Amino acid sequence: MYFHKFYFYDKQIPKIGVVRNYNQHDFDELISLQAECFPPPFPSELWWNKEQLKNHISLFPKGALCVEINGELAGSLTSLCIAYDPQHPEHTWEEVTDNGYITTHNPNGNALYIVDISVRPKYRTFGIGKIMMQSMYQIVVEQKLDRLLGGGRIPGYRKHANKLTPEHYLEKVLLGELNDPVISFLLKCGRTPVCLLKNYLEDKESLNHAVLMEWKNPFQHKER
């Protein structure tokens, strides 16, 4: 299973965190973490429940990671394997993840799909999200998968929806003219956009839109 110690800086002081697989003892804290990370208008019914979390650690325990700092969970990241066809990238979060229950996990799949990433607000300046994403890249390489995928919300879009289409909004983010809390973060983590996903997830901030973002396994791809 996965276990990794790392240093992060808090007010220029190095401190230690741990990335590990989450387990049944973490369930209550994982649910409270979700509530803190995704307050209204994000729908509360999309927060984890214990049945979903039990599926995560039984169907694909390698893909269920958390970050622990001083005995507290600072973040979590959940994934599953899918059979991905680059010619047909369109999908919804519900279709791919079975509403977060991940019964759609395919042990013989060719791609790792990010179901959810959460970081407590008080830890968001410490690079915790990037550390977790790098851990998932390591799993992609270790499992010899082609790529990592996930639908990135565009929560900054609502403020610009009266004058920009989702496509134009994404273009401005990619040009550096706008900053999106999720897409800009994913770009900094090495992810690249594949396509826009409409009606991806009920999300008032993104007006239900997302961007499919990928990271290709450099040991599997021979593109030049």
Side-chain angles (χ1 to χ4, degrees), residues 206-221:
S206 306
L207 300 186
N208 299 343
H209 294 91
V211 179
L212 181 61
M213 304 285 287
E214 74 175 356
W215 178 83
K216 290 182 178 180
N217 183 348
F219 298 100
Q220 298 291 98
H221 288 269

Side-chain angles (χ1 to χ4, degrees), residues 16-108:
I16 295 177
V18 171
V19 183
R20 61 170 174 83
N21 296 102
Y22 59 76
N23 57 58
Q24 193 164 356
H25 300 293
D26 299 308
F27 285 0
D28 288 336
E29 195 171 1
L30 286 166
I31 292 170
S32 67
L33 186 154
Q34 287 258 303
E36 189 175 336
C37 291
F38 302 111
F42 193 85
S44 59
E45 60 268 23
L46 292 180
W47 298 339
W48 292 142
N49 60 55
K50 291 188 178 182
E51 185 179 349
Q52 290 169 320
L53 293 169
K54 286 178 182 177
N55 281 8
H56 299 171
I57 65 173
S58 60
L59 296 175
F60 189 45
K62 282 188 177 181
L65 298 182
C66 66
V67 171
E68 184 177 342
I69 296 174
N70 294 327
E72 180 182 40
L73 294 192
S76 69
L77 198 160
T78 305
S79 65
L80 75 161
C81 291
I82 65 169
Y84 174 67
D85 181 358
Q87 301 302 315
H88 300 92
E90 297 83 8
H91 63 275
T92 67
W93 184 84
E94 179 181 350
E95 291 169 345
V96 172
T97 72
D98 183 26
N99 269 322
Y101 288 88
I102 73 165
T103 60
T104 46
H105 170 65
N106 183 348
N108 299 313

